[in-house]
């Protein structure tokens, strides 16, 4: 059991690191950010206008863009125009993510930890809002566990039946023989989930109803200035959109941001499962069950790259899908909870910065322009908190008391 506990600790550490970032995280304040704190403050102040903007152009229709549009409308009464190459909401990672939410898994990096805790609370608020509702965005609380599995472990010193009761998945005899160790990672107080695409659609829908938010098909090429003041955005097709602020929320298609390609499959389950699992063994798959009787399964990420595939057109590679399917079947048992054929296969890029910390704030040297990108695998979790923060910055020149935005200064990469 000592070996099992040690393996679980090592597995947990590697799982969190693997899931969080594709690069080494700088724990503690990076020197470049410390040096740029004053410039970040100055950039924020210089981007503030005497009065709030009337229209904000947002490049990107994912969770960061829709969250910002929502809080601009809800908290400040400001209209947004979203611009996305597909012309639809959440065509890329924000529509293909797992929707796993954890209260305290980012506490080891304090600035991100504060943002995560605020955003976790905002997810709960959205779920209880009459215009949203838990059912509309498939929000629920659940538990999470790290589970060591070995298909060859039948009859070898596995945990007692009492301990296996803590593993929701082990109610299937097929998986019971595979489990050789487990560790709880959170309960209903610290773990939740949401359906990312449904969340983004609801955020945009509410922003449209509240302040007339709209979405346009296209790609922002550059800001437009007249007499030194931002008056709109020029699109690549030559058309223009009027606006007095511009936010780039373009995920892995943002300058200084890389993309880590993940494949995922959606597998029907024989019953509704209530525990997310980070498996150790059988390829270390990650499984996020949903309340509609499906399980979102992922793993085997690619290396970080500059993304050249277009949003919504990411290639799904059969060999990666097969790896995930074989992995979850081996982990759960060949006749277990994840043995059904996938109902959906997909791929997307998770946006990651070189230091693993998101970029959020005013763009130095470009008055009226802002950026919010690079949230890694925590984009869905951090979406509402980021949206609230960026909406306040754009509308008032100041952020909320919940987030110290100087940590996220985009100028650190200049």
């Amino acid at each position: 059991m000592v070996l099992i506990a040690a393996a679980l600790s090592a597995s947990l550490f590697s799982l969190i690191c693997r899931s969080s970032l594709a690069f080494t995280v700088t724990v503690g304040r990076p020197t470049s950010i410390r040096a740029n704190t004053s410039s970040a403050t100055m950039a924020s102040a210089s981007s503030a206008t005497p009065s709030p903007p009337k229209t904000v152009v947002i490049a990107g229709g994912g969770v960061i863009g829709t969250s910002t549009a929502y809080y601009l409308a809800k908290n400040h009464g400001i209209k947004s125009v979203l611009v996305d190459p597909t012309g639809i909401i959440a065509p890329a990672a924000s529509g293909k993510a797992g929707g796993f939410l954890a209260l305290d898994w980012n506490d080891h990096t304090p600035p991100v930890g504060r943002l995560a805790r605020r955003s976790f609370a905002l997810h709960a608020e959205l779920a209880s809002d009459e215009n949203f509702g838990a059912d509309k965005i498939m929000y629920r609380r659940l538990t999470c566990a790290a589970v060591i599995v070995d298909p060859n472990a039948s009859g070898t010193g596995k945990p007692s039946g009492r301990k296996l009761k803590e593993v929701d998945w082990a109610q299937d005899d097929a998986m019971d023989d595979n489990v050789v160790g487990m560790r709880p990672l959170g309960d209903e107080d610290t773990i939740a989930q949401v359906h990312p695409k449904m969340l983004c659609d609801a955020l945009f829908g509410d922003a449209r109803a509240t302040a007339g938010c709209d979405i346009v098909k296209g790609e922002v090429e550059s800001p437009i200035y007249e007499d030194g003041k931002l008056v709109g955005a020029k699109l690549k097709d030559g058309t223009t959109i009027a606006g007095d602020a511009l936010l780039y929320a373009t995920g892995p298609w943002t300058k200084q941001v890389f993309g880590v390609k993940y494949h995922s499959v959606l597998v029907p389950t024989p019953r509704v499962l209530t525990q997310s699992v980070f498996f150790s063994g059988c390829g270390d798959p990650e499984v996020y069950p949903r309340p509609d009787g499906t399980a979102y399964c992922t793993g085997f990420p690619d290396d970080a790259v500059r993304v050249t595939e277009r949003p919504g057109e990411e290639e799904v590679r059969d060999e990666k899908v097969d790896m995930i399917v074989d992995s979850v079947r081996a982990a759960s048992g060949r006749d277990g909870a994840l043995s059904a054929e996938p109902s959906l296969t997909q791929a997307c890029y998770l946006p990651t910065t070189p230091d693993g910390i998101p970029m959020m704030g005013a763009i130095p040297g470009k008055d009226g322009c802002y950026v919010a990108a690079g949230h890694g695998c925590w984009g869905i979790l951090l979406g509402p908190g980021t949206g609230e923060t960026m909406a306040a910055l754009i509308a008032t020149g100041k952020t909320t008391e919940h987030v110290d935005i100087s940590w996220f200064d985009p100028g650190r990469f200049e």
Side-chain angles (χ1 to χ4, degrees), residues 14-23 25 63-64 93-94 96-102 105-106 108 112 116 123 194 196 252 257-262 278 286 288 296 298-299 301 348-353 356-358 373-383:
S14 64
L15 284 167
I16 293 176
C17 289
R18 185 183 74 237
S19 299
S20 299
L21 302 169
F23 298 90
V25 178
V63 69
I64 304 302
S94 294
K96 301 175 182 178
F100 178 76
L101 312 175
W105 286 28
N106 286 283
H108 60 284
V112 183
H123 276 287
V194 69
V257 176
F258 297 84
V260 179
K261 192 171 188 176
Y262 270 82
F278 289 77
E286 302 170 16
Y288 310 115
Y296 179 100
T298 189
C348 64
Y349 288 90
L350 303 187
T352 308
T353 64
I357 296 176
H375 294 70
C377 73
W378 296 112
I380 304 303
L381 167 65
L382 300 177

Short mmCIF file of all heavy atoms in Angstrom, two decimals, residues 14-23 25 63-64 93-94 96-102 105-106 108 112 116 123 194 196 252 257-262 278 286 288 296 298-299 301 348-353 356-358 373-383:
data_model
loop_
_atom_site.label_atom_id
_atom_site.label_comp_id
_atom_site.label_asym_id
_atom_site.label_seq_id
_atom_site.Cartn_x
_atom_site.Cartn_y
_atom_site.Cartn_z
N SER A 14 1.77 14.53 -11.72
CA SER A 14 1.97 14.54 -13.17
C SER A 14 0.67 14.82 -13.91
O SER A 14 0.65 15.49 -14.93
CB SER A 14 2.55 13.21 -13.65
OG SER A 14 1.66 12.14 -13.42
N LEU A 15 -0.45 14.32 -13.36
CA LEU A 15 -1.73 14.55 -14.01
C LEU A 15 -2.09 16.02 -14.01
O LEU A 15 -2.51 16.57 -15.02
CB LEU A 15 -2.83 13.75 -13.30
CG LEU A 15 -2.86 12.25 -13.59
CD1 LEU A 15 -3.76 11.56 -12.59
CD2 LEU A 15 -3.34 11.99 -15.00
N ILE A 16 -1.93 16.67 -12.87
CA ILE A 16 -2.27 18.08 -12.78
C ILE A 16 -1.37 18.90 -13.67
O ILE A 16 -1.81 19.80 -14.38
CB ILE A 16 -2.19 18.57 -11.31
CG1 ILE A 16 -3.30 17.91 -10.48
CG2 ILE A 16 -2.30 20.08 -11.24
CD1 ILE A 16 -3.24 18.25 -9.03
N CYS A 17 -0.06 18.59 -13.67
CA CYS A 17 0.87 19.33 -14.53
C CYS A 17 0.54 19.10 -15.99
O CYS A 17 0.54 20.01 -16.79
CB CYS A 17 2.31 18.91 -14.24
SG CYS A 17 2.92 19.48 -12.65
N ARG A 18 0.25 17.84 -16.34
CA ARG A 18 -0.04 17.52 -17.73
C ARG A 18 -1.31 18.20 -18.18
O ARG A 18 -1.42 18.71 -19.29
CB ARG A 18 -0.19 16.00 -17.90
CG ARG A 18 -0.39 15.59 -19.35
CD ARG A 18 -0.62 14.10 -19.46
NE ARG A 18 -1.94 13.71 -19.01
CZ ARG A 18 -2.18 12.83 -18.06
NH1 ARG A 18 -1.19 12.24 -17.44
NH2 ARG A 18 -3.41 12.54 -17.70
N SER A 19 -2.30 18.23 -17.30
CA SER A 19 -3.59 18.82 -17.67
C SER A 19 -3.54 20.33 -17.71
O SER A 19 -4.27 20.96 -18.45
CB SER A 19 -4.67 18.38 -16.67
OG SER A 19 -4.81 16.99 -16.68
N SER A 20 -2.67 20.93 -16.88
CA SER A 20 -2.68 22.38 -16.75
C SER A 20 -1.89 23.08 -17.82
O SER A 20 -2.33 24.06 -18.40
CB SER A 20 -2.13 22.78 -15.37
OG SER A 20 -2.92 22.24 -14.35
N LEU A 21 -0.68 22.59 -18.10
CA LEU A 21 0.21 23.36 -18.94
C LEU A 21 1.06 22.47 -19.83
O LEU A 21 1.42 21.36 -19.46
CB LEU A 21 1.17 24.21 -18.07
CG LEU A 21 0.50 25.18 -17.10
CD1 LEU A 21 1.53 25.71 -16.14
CD2 LEU A 21 -0.14 26.32 -17.85
N ALA A 22 1.40 22.98 -20.99
CA ALA A 22 2.32 22.27 -21.87
C ALA A 22 3.74 22.78 -21.67
O ALA A 22 4.68 22.21 -22.20
CB ALA A 22 1.91 22.46 -23.32
N PHE A 23 3.91 23.84 -20.92
CA PHE A 23 5.21 24.41 -20.65
C PHE A 23 5.47 24.39 -19.15
O PHE A 23 4.58 24.15 -18.36
CB PHE A 23 5.28 25.87 -21.13
CG PHE A 23 5.09 26.03 -22.61
CD1 PHE A 23 3.81 26.21 -23.13
CD2 PHE A 23 6.16 25.98 -23.46
CE1 PHE A 23 3.63 26.36 -24.48
CE2 PHE A 23 5.98 26.13 -24.82
CZ PHE A 23 4.72 26.32 -25.34
N VAL A 25 5.70 25.85 -15.66
CA VAL A 25 5.06 26.99 -15.01
C VAL A 25 6.05 27.66 -14.09
O VAL A 25 6.77 27.00 -13.35
CB VAL A 25 3.84 26.52 -14.18
CG1 VAL A 25 3.23 27.71 -13.47
CG2 VAL A 25 2.83 25.85 -15.07
N VAL A 63 -15.19 31.10 -25.21
CA VAL A 63 -15.66 31.36 -23.85
C VAL A 63 -15.15 32.70 -23.30
O VAL A 63 -15.85 33.37 -22.54
CB VAL A 63 -15.29 30.21 -22.90
CG1 VAL A 63 -13.78 30.15 -22.65
CG2 VAL A 63 -16.05 30.31 -21.58
N ILE A 64 -13.94 33.12 -23.69
CA ILE A 64 -13.43 34.41 -23.21
C ILE A 64 -14.20 35.55 -23.87
O ILE A 64 -14.61 36.50 -23.20
CB ILE A 64 -11.92 34.53 -23.50
CG1 ILE A 64 -11.15 33.36 -22.87
CG2 ILE A 64 -11.41 35.86 -22.97
CD1 ILE A 64 -11.30 33.23 -21.38
N ALA A 93 -11.97 25.24 -29.33
CA ALA A 93 -11.83 24.57 -28.03
C ALA A 93 -12.99 24.86 -27.08
O ALA A 93 -13.39 23.99 -26.30
CB ALA A 93 -10.51 24.99 -27.38
N SER A 94 -13.55 26.07 -27.13
CA SER A 94 -14.64 26.41 -26.22
C SER A 94 -15.91 25.60 -26.50
O SER A 94 -16.79 25.53 -25.63
CB SER A 94 -14.96 27.90 -26.30
OG SER A 94 -13.88 28.67 -25.82
N LYS A 96 -15.52 22.36 -27.66
CA LYS A 96 -15.10 20.96 -27.70
C LYS A 96 -14.38 20.51 -26.43
O LYS A 96 -13.81 19.42 -26.38
CB LYS A 96 -14.16 20.75 -28.90
CG LYS A 96 -14.79 21.09 -30.24
CD LYS A 96 -13.79 20.99 -31.38
CE LYS A 96 -14.40 21.40 -32.70
NZ LYS A 96 -13.41 21.36 -33.82
N ALA A 97 -14.39 21.35 -25.41
CA ALA A 97 -13.69 21.04 -24.17
C ALA A 97 -14.54 20.16 -23.26
O ALA A 97 -15.72 19.90 -23.53
CB ALA A 97 -13.32 22.34 -23.44
N GLY A 98 -13.93 19.69 -22.17
CA GLY A 98 -14.63 18.80 -21.25
C GLY A 98 -15.53 19.51 -20.25
O GLY A 98 -16.48 18.94 -19.75
N GLY A 99 -15.21 20.79 -19.94
CA GLY A 99 -16.03 21.54 -19.00
C GLY A 99 -15.79 21.21 -17.55
O GLY A 99 -16.64 21.46 -16.69
N PHE A 100 -14.61 20.68 -17.22
CA PHE A 100 -14.27 20.32 -15.84
C PHE A 100 -13.90 21.58 -15.06
O PHE A 100 -13.10 22.40 -15.52
CB PHE A 100 -13.09 19.34 -15.85
CG PHE A 100 -12.61 18.93 -14.49
CD1 PHE A 100 -13.32 18.02 -13.74
CD2 PHE A 100 -11.41 19.43 -13.99
CE1 PHE A 100 -12.86 17.61 -12.48
CE2 PHE A 100 -10.94 19.04 -12.75
CZ PHE A 100 -11.67 18.13 -12.00
N LEU A 101 -14.48 21.75 -13.86
CA LEU A 101 -14.26 22.92 -13.03
C LEU A 101 -13.73 22.50 -11.67
O LEU A 101 -14.31 21.63 -11.02
CB LEU A 101 -15.57 23.69 -12.84
CG LEU A 101 -16.41 24.00 -14.10
CD1 LEU A 101 -17.72 24.67 -13.70
CD2 LEU A 101 -15.62 24.87 -15.08
N ALA A 102 -12.62 23.11 -11.25
CA ALA A 102 -12.03 22.80 -9.94
C ALA A 102 -11.76 24.10 -9.19
O ALA A 102 -11.14 25.01 -9.73
CB ALA A 102 -10.75 22.00 -10.11
N TRP A 105 -7.47 23.89 -7.68
CA TRP A 105 -6.36 23.20 -8.33
C TRP A 105 -5.30 24.16 -8.87
O TRP A 105 -4.22 23.72 -9.28
CB TRP A 105 -6.87 22.30 -9.45
CG TRP A 105 -7.54 21.06 -8.96
CD1 TRP A 105 -8.19 20.89 -7.77
CD2 TRP A 105 -7.65 19.81 -9.66
NE1 TRP A 105 -8.69 19.61 -7.67
CE2 TRP A 105 -8.38 18.94 -8.83
CE3 TRP A 105 -7.23 19.37 -10.90
CZ2 TRP A 105 -8.68 17.63 -9.20
CZ3 TRP A 105 -7.53 18.06 -11.28
CH2 TRP A 105 -8.24 17.20 -10.42
N ASN A 106 -5.58 25.45 -8.89
CA ASN A 106 -4.60 26.44 -9.35
C ASN A 106 -4.01 27.26 -8.22
O ASN A 106 -3.29 28.23 -8.47
CB ASN A 106 -5.25 27.37 -10.37
CG ASN A 106 -5.48 26.71 -11.71
OD1 ASN A 106 -4.54 26.53 -12.50
ND2 ASN A 106 -6.72 26.33 -11.98
N HIS A 108 -1.57 26.72 -6.42
CA HIS A 108 -0.11 26.72 -6.39
C HIS A 108 0.47 27.89 -7.19
O HIS A 108 1.65 28.22 -7.03
CB HIS A 108 0.43 25.40 -6.95
CG HIS A 108 0.02 25.13 -8.37
ND1 HIS A 108 -1.25 24.70 -8.71
CD2 HIS A 108 0.70 25.23 -9.53
CE1 HIS A 108 -1.32 24.55 -10.02
NE2 HIS A 108 -0.15 24.87 -10.55
N VAL A 112 -3.37 32.98 -10.67
CA VAL A 112 -4.34 32.15 -11.38
C VAL A 112 -5.31 31.53 -10.38
O VAL A 112 -6.51 31.37 -10.67
CB VAL A 112 -3.64 31.06 -12.21
CG1 VAL A 112 -4.66 30.24 -12.99
CG2 VAL A 112 -2.62 31.68 -13.16
N ALA A 116 -9.25 31.64 -10.55
CA ALA A 116 -10.00 30.39 -10.60
C ALA A 116 -11.09 30.35 -9.54
O ALA A 116 -12.23 29.92 -9.81
CB ALA A 116 -9.05 29.20 -10.44
N HIS A 123 -19.45 30.61 -12.02
CA HIS A 123 -20.13 29.50 -12.67
C HIS A 123 -21.37 29.09 -11.87
O HIS A 123 -22.43 28.83 -12.46
CB HIS A 123 -19.19 28.30 -12.81
CG HIS A 123 -18.30 28.35 -14.01
ND1 HIS A 123 -18.78 28.13 -15.29
CD2 HIS A 123 -16.98 28.59 -14.14
CE1 HIS A 123 -17.78 28.22 -16.15
NE2 HIS A 123 -16.67 28.50 -15.49
N VAL A 194 -19.58 21.88 -16.45
CA VAL A 194 -20.54 22.60 -17.27
C VAL A 194 -20.33 22.14 -18.71
O VAL A 194 -19.25 21.66 -19.06
CB VAL A 194 -20.31 24.13 -17.13
CG1 VAL A 194 -19.00 24.55 -17.76
CG2 VAL A 194 -21.48 24.92 -17.69
N PRO A 196 -19.46 23.22 -22.15
CA PRO A 196 -18.86 24.46 -22.66
C PRO A 196 -19.65 25.13 -23.78
O PRO A 196 -19.84 26.35 -23.75
CB PRO A 196 -17.48 24.00 -23.15
CG PRO A 196 -17.18 22.79 -22.35
CD PRO A 196 -18.50 22.11 -22.17
N PRO A 252 -5.59 30.18 -29.33
CA PRO A 252 -4.28 29.82 -29.85
C PRO A 252 -3.91 30.54 -31.14
O PRO A 252 -2.81 30.34 -31.66
CB PRO A 252 -4.41 28.30 -30.08
CG PRO A 252 -5.86 28.10 -30.35
CD PRO A 252 -6.57 29.08 -29.46
N VAL A 257 0.91 33.13 -28.31
CA VAL A 257 0.20 31.99 -27.74
C VAL A 257 0.41 30.77 -28.64
O VAL A 257 0.36 30.88 -29.87
CB VAL A 257 -1.30 32.28 -27.58
CG1 VAL A 257 -2.05 31.04 -27.07
CG2 VAL A 257 -1.51 33.45 -26.62
N PHE A 258 0.66 29.63 -28.00
CA PHE A 258 0.82 28.37 -28.71
C PHE A 258 -0.44 27.53 -28.54
O PHE A 258 -1.30 27.84 -27.71
CB PHE A 258 2.03 27.60 -28.16
CG PHE A 258 3.35 28.29 -28.33
CD1 PHE A 258 3.78 29.24 -27.42
CD2 PHE A 258 4.14 28.02 -29.43
CE1 PHE A 258 4.99 29.91 -27.57
CE2 PHE A 258 5.37 28.67 -29.60
CZ PHE A 258 5.78 29.61 -28.67
N GLY A 259 -0.53 26.45 -29.30
CA GLY A 259 -1.67 25.55 -29.18
C GLY A 259 -1.21 24.14 -28.89
O GLY A 259 -0.26 23.64 -29.50
N VAL A 260 -1.87 23.49 -27.95
CA VAL A 260 -1.62 22.08 -27.63
C VAL A 260 -2.83 21.29 -28.12
O VAL A 260 -3.93 21.47 -27.59
CB VAL A 260 -1.41 21.86 -26.12
CG1 VAL A 260 -1.17 20.38 -25.83
CG2 VAL A 260 -0.24 22.70 -25.62
N LYS A 261 -2.64 20.47 -29.12
CA LYS A 261 -3.78 19.77 -29.73
C LYS A 261 -4.18 18.56 -28.89
O LYS A 261 -3.37 17.70 -28.57
CB LYS A 261 -3.45 19.33 -31.15
CG LYS A 261 -4.68 18.86 -31.94
CD LYS A 261 -4.36 18.63 -33.40
CE LYS A 261 -5.63 18.35 -34.21
NZ LYS A 261 -5.34 18.22 -35.66
N TYR A 262 -5.46 18.54 -28.55
CA TYR A 262 -6.06 17.41 -27.85
C TYR A 262 -7.16 16.81 -28.72
O TYR A 262 -7.92 17.54 -29.36
CB TYR A 262 -6.70 17.87 -26.53
CG TYR A 262 -5.79 17.84 -25.32
CD1 TYR A 262 -4.91 18.88 -25.08
CD2 TYR A 262 -5.83 16.78 -24.42
CE1 TYR A 262 -4.08 18.87 -23.96
CE2 TYR A 262 -5.01 16.77 -23.30
CZ TYR A 262 -4.15 17.82 -23.07
OH TYR A 262 -3.34 17.79 -21.97
N PHE A 278 -9.21 10.83 -13.24
CA PHE A 278 -7.90 10.91 -13.87
C PHE A 278 -7.24 9.55 -13.65
O PHE A 278 -6.78 9.24 -12.56
CB PHE A 278 -7.07 12.03 -13.23
CG PHE A 278 -7.56 13.40 -13.56
CD1 PHE A 278 -8.67 13.93 -12.94
CD2 PHE A 278 -6.90 14.18 -14.51
CE1 PHE A 278 -9.13 15.21 -13.23
CE2 PHE A 278 -7.35 15.46 -14.82
CZ PHE A 278 -8.46 15.97 -14.18
N GLU A 286 -8.20 10.74 -19.29
CA GLU A 286 -9.02 11.57 -18.41
C GLU A 286 -10.47 11.43 -18.86
O GLU A 286 -10.76 11.48 -20.05
CB GLU A 286 -8.59 13.04 -18.50
CG GLU A 286 -7.13 13.27 -18.16
CD GLU A 286 -6.66 14.67 -18.50
OE1 GLU A 286 -7.53 15.54 -18.71
OE2 GLU A 286 -5.44 14.89 -18.57
N TYR A 288 -14.53 12.65 -18.12
CA TYR A 288 -15.46 13.58 -17.48
C TYR A 288 -16.88 13.18 -17.86
O TYR A 288 -17.36 13.53 -18.96
CB TYR A 288 -15.17 15.01 -17.94
CG TYR A 288 -13.71 15.41 -17.81
CD1 TYR A 288 -12.95 15.69 -18.94
CD2 TYR A 288 -13.09 15.48 -16.57
CE1 TYR A 288 -11.62 16.04 -18.85
CE2 TYR A 288 -11.75 15.83 -16.45
CZ TYR A 288 -11.02 16.11 -17.59
OH TYR A 288 -9.70 16.46 -17.49
N TYR A 296 -17.08 12.28 -21.55
CA TYR A 296 -16.09 12.97 -22.38
C TYR A 296 -14.72 12.38 -22.02
O TYR A 296 -14.28 12.46 -20.87
CB TYR A 296 -16.14 14.46 -22.09
CG TYR A 296 -15.15 15.32 -22.84
CD1 TYR A 296 -15.54 16.03 -23.96
CD2 TYR A 296 -13.83 15.45 -22.41
CE1 TYR A 296 -14.64 16.85 -24.64
CE2 TYR A 296 -12.92 16.25 -23.09
CZ TYR A 296 -13.34 16.95 -24.20
OH TYR A 296 -12.45 17.75 -24.87
N THR A 298 -10.52 11.97 -22.96
CA THR A 298 -9.43 12.63 -23.66
C THR A 298 -8.09 12.16 -23.13
O THR A 298 -8.00 11.44 -22.13
CB THR A 298 -9.56 14.16 -23.54
OG1 THR A 298 -8.61 14.79 -24.40
CG2 THR A 298 -9.33 14.62 -22.11
N GLY A 299 -7.02 12.58 -23.80
CA GLY A 299 -5.67 12.22 -23.42
C GLY A 299 -4.73 12.30 -24.61
O GLY A 299 -5.11 12.71 -25.70
N PRO A 301 -2.02 14.27 -25.55
CA PRO A 301 -1.89 15.56 -26.24
C PRO A 301 -0.66 15.60 -27.13
O PRO A 301 0.35 14.94 -26.88
CB PRO A 301 -1.78 16.57 -25.10
CG PRO A 301 -1.17 15.78 -23.98
CD PRO A 301 -1.77 14.41 -24.10
N CYS A 348 -9.18 19.79 -30.88
CA CYS A 348 -9.08 21.23 -30.71
C CYS A 348 -7.72 21.57 -30.14
O CYS A 348 -6.97 20.69 -29.71
CB CYS A 348 -10.19 21.76 -29.80
SG CYS A 348 -10.11 21.14 -28.11
N TYR A 349 -7.40 22.86 -30.12
CA TYR A 349 -6.13 23.33 -29.57
C TYR A 349 -6.38 24.11 -28.28
O TYR A 349 -7.19 25.04 -28.25
CB TYR A 349 -5.42 24.25 -30.56
CG TYR A 349 -4.84 23.54 -31.76
CD1 TYR A 349 -5.61 23.37 -32.92
CD2 TYR A 349 -3.54 23.04 -31.74
CE1 TYR A 349 -5.08 22.72 -34.03
CE2 TYR A 349 -3.01 22.39 -32.85
CZ TYR A 349 -3.78 22.23 -33.98
OH TYR A 349 -3.26 21.59 -35.08
N LEU A 350 -5.66 23.75 -27.22
CA LEU A 350 -5.73 24.51 -25.98
C LEU A 350 -4.67 25.60 -26.03
O LEU A 350 -3.49 25.32 -26.26
CB LEU A 350 -5.50 23.60 -24.77
CG LEU A 350 -6.45 22.40 -24.64
CD1 LEU A 350 -6.22 21.69 -23.32
CD2 LEU A 350 -7.90 22.84 -24.77
N PRO A 351 -5.05 26.86 -25.83
CA PRO A 351 -4.11 27.99 -25.96
C PRO A 351 -3.23 28.15 -24.73
O PRO A 351 -3.72 28.24 -23.61
CB PRO A 351 -5.04 29.19 -26.14
CG PRO A 351 -6.29 28.81 -25.39
CD PRO A 351 -6.42 27.32 -25.53
N THR A 352 -1.92 28.18 -24.94
CA THR A 352 -0.97 28.21 -23.83
C THR A 352 0.13 29.23 -24.09
O THR A 352 0.69 29.27 -25.19
CB THR A 352 -0.33 26.82 -23.63
OG1 THR A 352 -1.36 25.84 -23.54
CG2 THR A 352 0.50 26.79 -22.37
N THR A 353 0.45 30.04 -23.10
CA THR A 353 1.54 31.01 -23.22
C THR A 353 2.87 30.35 -22.85
O THR A 353 2.89 29.29 -22.23
CB THR A 353 1.30 32.21 -22.29
OG1 THR A 353 1.32 31.75 -20.93
CG2 THR A 353 -0.03 32.88 -22.59
N GLY A 356 2.95 29.80 -19.17
CA GLY A 356 1.81 29.09 -18.60
C GLY A 356 0.79 29.96 -17.91
O GLY A 356 -0.18 29.45 -17.35
N ILE A 357 0.98 31.28 -17.91
CA ILE A 357 0.05 32.20 -17.26
C ILE A 357 -0.70 32.98 -18.34
O ILE A 357 -0.09 33.48 -19.29
CB ILE A 357 0.79 33.16 -16.32
CG1 ILE A 357 1.43 32.36 -15.18
CG2 ILE A 357 -0.15 34.23 -15.75
CD1 ILE A 357 2.28 33.19 -14.24
N PRO A 358 -2.01 33.09 -18.25
CA PRO A 358 -2.77 33.79 -19.30
C PRO A 358 -2.32 35.23 -19.49
O PRO A 358 -1.73 35.85 -18.60
CB PRO A 358 -4.21 33.74 -18.77
CG PRO A 358 -4.24 32.58 -17.84
CD PRO A 358 -2.89 32.53 -17.20
N ALA A 373 -6.11 35.89 -23.50
CA ALA A 373 -5.90 34.60 -24.17
C ALA A 373 -4.86 33.79 -23.40
O ALA A 373 -4.18 34.31 -22.51
CB ALA A 373 -5.43 34.82 -25.61
N GLY A 374 -4.74 32.51 -23.76
CA GLY A 374 -3.70 31.66 -23.19
C GLY A 374 -4.06 31.01 -21.87
O GLY A 374 -3.21 30.83 -21.01
N HIS A 375 -5.31 30.58 -21.73
CA HIS A 375 -5.78 30.02 -20.46
C HIS A 375 -5.59 28.51 -20.34
O HIS A 375 -6.04 27.90 -19.37
CB HIS A 375 -7.25 30.38 -20.26
CG HIS A 375 -7.50 31.84 -20.07
ND1 HIS A 375 -7.35 32.75 -21.10
CD2 HIS A 375 -7.88 32.57 -18.99
CE1 HIS A 375 -7.63 33.98 -20.65
NE2 HIS A 375 -7.96 33.89 -19.38
N GLY A 376 -4.95 27.89 -21.34
CA GLY A 376 -4.65 26.47 -21.25
C GLY A 376 -5.88 25.60 -21.13
O GLY A 376 -6.94 25.90 -21.70
N CYS A 377 -5.75 24.52 -20.36
CA CYS A 377 -6.88 23.61 -20.20
C CYS A 377 -7.93 24.17 -19.25
O CYS A 377 -9.01 23.59 -19.09
CB CYS A 377 -6.40 22.25 -19.68
SG CYS A 377 -5.92 22.27 -17.95
N TRP A 378 -7.64 25.31 -18.62
CA TRP A 378 -8.57 25.90 -17.65
C TRP A 378 -9.41 27.02 -18.28
O TRP A 378 -10.02 27.82 -17.56
CB TRP A 378 -7.80 26.44 -16.45
CG TRP A 378 -7.10 25.38 -15.68
CD1 TRP A 378 -5.75 25.19 -15.58
CD2 TRP A 378 -7.70 24.34 -14.90
NE1 TRP A 378 -5.48 24.10 -14.78
CE2 TRP A 378 -6.66 23.55 -14.36
CE3 TRP A 378 -9.03 23.98 -14.61
CZ2 TRP A 378 -6.89 22.45 -13.54
CZ3 TRP A 378 -9.26 22.87 -13.80
CH2 TRP A 378 -8.21 22.13 -13.28
N GLY A 379 -9.47 27.08 -19.60
CA GLY A 379 -10.21 28.16 -20.24
C GLY A 379 -11.67 28.22 -19.85
O GLY A 379 -12.21 29.31 -19.62
N ILE A 380 -12.33 27.08 -19.80
CA ILE A 380 -13.76 27.08 -19.43
C ILE A 380 -13.94 27.51 -17.99
O ILE A 380 -14.80 28.33 -17.65
CB ILE A 380 -14.39 25.70 -19.68
CG1 ILE A 380 -14.19 25.27 -21.14
CG2 ILE A 380 -15.87 25.71 -19.32
CD1 ILE A 380 -14.74 26.25 -22.16
N LEU A 381 -13.11 26.97 -17.10
CA LEU A 381 -13.16 27.37 -15.69
C LEU A 381 -12.94 28.87 -15.56
O LEU A 381 -13.70 29.56 -14.88
CB LEU A 381 -12.10 26.62 -14.89
CG LEU A 381 -11.81 27.16 -13.47
CD1 LEU A 381 -13.03 27.00 -12.58
CD2 LEU A 381 -10.59 26.48 -12.87
N LEU A 382 -11.91 29.41 -16.20
CA LEU A 382 -11.52 30.80 -16.01
C LEU A 382 -12.31 31.78 -16.85
O LEU A 382 -12.17 33.00 -16.68
CB LEU A 382 -10.02 30.95 -16.33
CG LEU A 382 -9.05 30.10 -15.49
CD1 LEU A 382 -7.62 30.30 -15.98
CD2 LEU A 382 -9.17 30.44 -14.01
N GLY A 383 -13.16 31.28 -17.75
CA GLY A 383 -13.90 32.15 -18.65
C GLY A 383 -14.70 33.25 -17.98
O GLY A 383 -14.50 34.44 -18.26
#
